[in-house]
Amino acid sequence: MGKTKKAPSGESASPRWIVTANVVGGKSFGEIAASDGAKAIEQVRSSEPTIALCAKCAPKIECPAVDDSSYVARKVGGDGEVHRAGAPPTSSAAMVFLQHLWDNSQKATGHSWTRLNTAMYRAVTLAIEAGLFFDIDDFDLIYKEFRGGYWFGEQNGEGWYGTAIEYSNESACLALEKMFGRKPIVFDGRRIAVGTQIWWPEREVPGGAVTSFKDDKESVIVCTYAIDPVTSQRSQTPTRRITIRRDEFVEREKARKGKVSLDNDMRAIRQCLLRIAGDRYFPTPVTAEMLSTIEKWPAGKRKSVREWCAAYWSKPMPAHLKELLPETAQQAIDKRVAAAAA
């Protein structure tokens, strides 16, 4: 396999390709003469259909074989064209960046898997922080194509998930969630990750941090810690471990959004009514009792008042708001509407 096959007499020689497999320690099949990288890889696959991941475990039956996408063909000379078996026809900006690093690493230095693995981990972090776009399957591909099992780390990507949330890289969040096989859990309007601080007194969590996602992918572990009053340092041992389910987060988020909507409505309505309270067509003070009544209305009623406030007399006042006013104010409003229509 290490010798270059010669072209038949009278035919131009085919390009030469160095075919390798991404296994522990690397596996090279030498130079292969073929018209393109795909055919060079096919020659190797047909002659050596299975390859052990490493020489030490080769005799073991349970040792998996290298899959098709682990083969790489690099063109000798010229532009150094690279062909990867099973590679998608197009790649995201993040994958292009990582592929370039993988294909061109250590050309100026000696080979070191430790150095390459560290560089790849940092490169993924940089791609997330720089806002590069990730396709939905990218982290599955990164793990498979670039030997991710050796450098993804003990948390297997959870650290990147926190970084993606911090830098608002939605595409990276979605790709990581696809790899994790779980849907996002939201707290105070943001996804939570390992390390997210949780302040939830109603759930008897006066202050804690997410330490892990449970295997069911539907709950998280939150730990609280004692604080040394002298050094202000957090203890290493948690005082409590609390499991919080996804449905609890969903209910809390629903209530939070409802309160935010109510606060926004009341702020806009209060500002509007106070602005026009001195208008001769609105001769009544804005009382706390009036605002309290409006606050208890359903969202649809509050919305109609906000729309009227925005229109400012160009449309009739909603009947439910008009009913809160004294009779004299109602009569004045009727005159104002009639004058506007005339």
Side-chain angles (χ1 to χ4, degrees):
M1 289 299 295
K3 296 181 180 180
T4 303
K5 295 183 179 180
K6 295 182 179 180
S9 178
E11 296 183 11
S12 59
S14 297
R16 291 176 298 153
W17 300 81
I18 297 177
V19 180
T20 59
N22 295 330
V23 294
V24 177
K27 174 72 174 179
S28 177
F29 303 95
E31 294 184 10
I32 306 296
S35 58
D36 57 46
K39 291 181 178 178
I41 290 174
E42 183 57 34
Q43 288 187 40
V44 170
R45 290 174 55 196
S46 61
S47 60
E48 297 191 41
T50 59
I51 310 162
L53 286 178
C54 60
K56 183 183 295 185
C57 62
K60 298 181 180 179
I61 297 176
E62 67 270 17
C63 181
V66 174
D67 56 55
D68 293 345
S69 63
S70 296
Y71 293 95
V72 180
R74 292 176 172 82
K75 191 174 183 180
V76 177
D79 57 5
E81 179 184 346
V82 175
H83 178 85
R84 303 183 68 83
T90 58
S91 299
S92 67
M95 280 298 290
V96 170
F97 171 62
L98 295 171
Q99 187 71 65
H100 181 77
L101 173 62
W102 180 267
D103 291 336
N104 295 279
S105 64
Q106 305 188 100
K107 289 187 176 180
T109 63
H111 179 77
S112 167
W113 282 115
T114 300
R115 188 162 57 233
L116 177 58
N117 291 343
T118 301
M120 292 300 294
Y121 186 92
R122 291 175 177 173
V124 173
T125 303
L126 178 60
I128 294 172
E129 293 178 349
L132 297 190
F133 186 85
F134 288 77
D135 285 335
I136 192 67
D137 293 319
D138 272 358
F139 278 96
D140 292 315
L141 286 173
I142 292 168
Y143 190 92
K144 183 178 181 180
E145 295 284 326
F146 306 135
R147 304 168 65 252
Y150 293 96
W151 54 271
F152 264 42
E154 293 181 0
Q155 292 186 328
N156 198 34
E158 291 288 358
W160 291 324
Y161 191 56
T163 301
I165 294 170
E166 179 184 357
Y167 283 81
S168 301
N169 192 325
E170 177 76 8
S171 68
C173 289
L174 293 172
L176 283 162
E177 287 161 0
K178 166 67 166 49
M179 183 184 73
F180 296 148
R182 69 172 186 247
K183 296 179 180 179
I185 296 178
V186 177
F187 180 79
D188 282 350
R190 297 191 70 188
R191 288 173 166 90
I192 64 173
V194 172
T196 297
Q197 300 297 306
I198 300 292
W199 181 267
W200 195 346
E202 298 85 352
R203 188 59 175 77
E204 298 183 1
V205 184
V210 175
T211 57
S212 63
F213 288 80
K214 298 200 73 173
D215 292 340
D216 62 7
K217 305 182 190 302
E218 293 296 319
S219 51
V220 299
I221 301 295
V222 176
C223 291
T224 60
Y225 299 86
I227 304 297
D228 189 301
V230 177
T231 64
S232 297
Q233 296 295 314
R234 191 183 76 173
S235 66
Q236 297 298 314
T237 304
T239 55
R240 291 186 65 198
R241 287 185 176 88
I242 307 161
T243 298
I244 305 180
R245 302 186 311 276
R246 178 190 299 277
D247 58 349
E248 295 180 80
F249 283 104
V250 170
E251 287 300 316
R252 184 184 187 279
E253 187 65 10
K254 182 179 178 181
R256 185 194 68 83
K257 287 183 176 180
K259 187 176 186 307
V260 169
S261 176
L262 174 61
D263 290 345
N264 290 339
D265 282 350
M266 292 308 300
R267 186 181 302 109
I269 292 171
R270 186 183 300 108
Q271 290 175 349
C272 171
L273 295 182
L274 288 173
R275 185 176 73 247
I276 66 177
D279 192 308
R280 63 193 179 95
Y281 293 106
F282 195 84
T284 185
V286 179
T287 64
E289 182 180 1
M290 179 189 298
L291 293 174
S292 177
T293 299
I294 295 174
E295 187 172 348
K296 296 175 184 177
W297 284 346
K301 278 191 172 183
R302 294 197 307 271
K303 181 181 179 182
S304 66
V305 174
R306 287 193 64 174
E307 291 174 348
W308 174 78
C309 288
Y312 192 45
W313 296 118
S314 63
K315 61 188 300 185
M317 177 182 285
H320 45 277
L321 176 60
K322 190 175 178 181
E323 291 171 357
L324 296 180
L325 307 179
E327 185 176 351
T328 54
Q330 293 185 32
Q331 293 173 354
I333 289 169
D334 290 339
K335 291 181 181 179
R336 175 67 175 85
V337 173

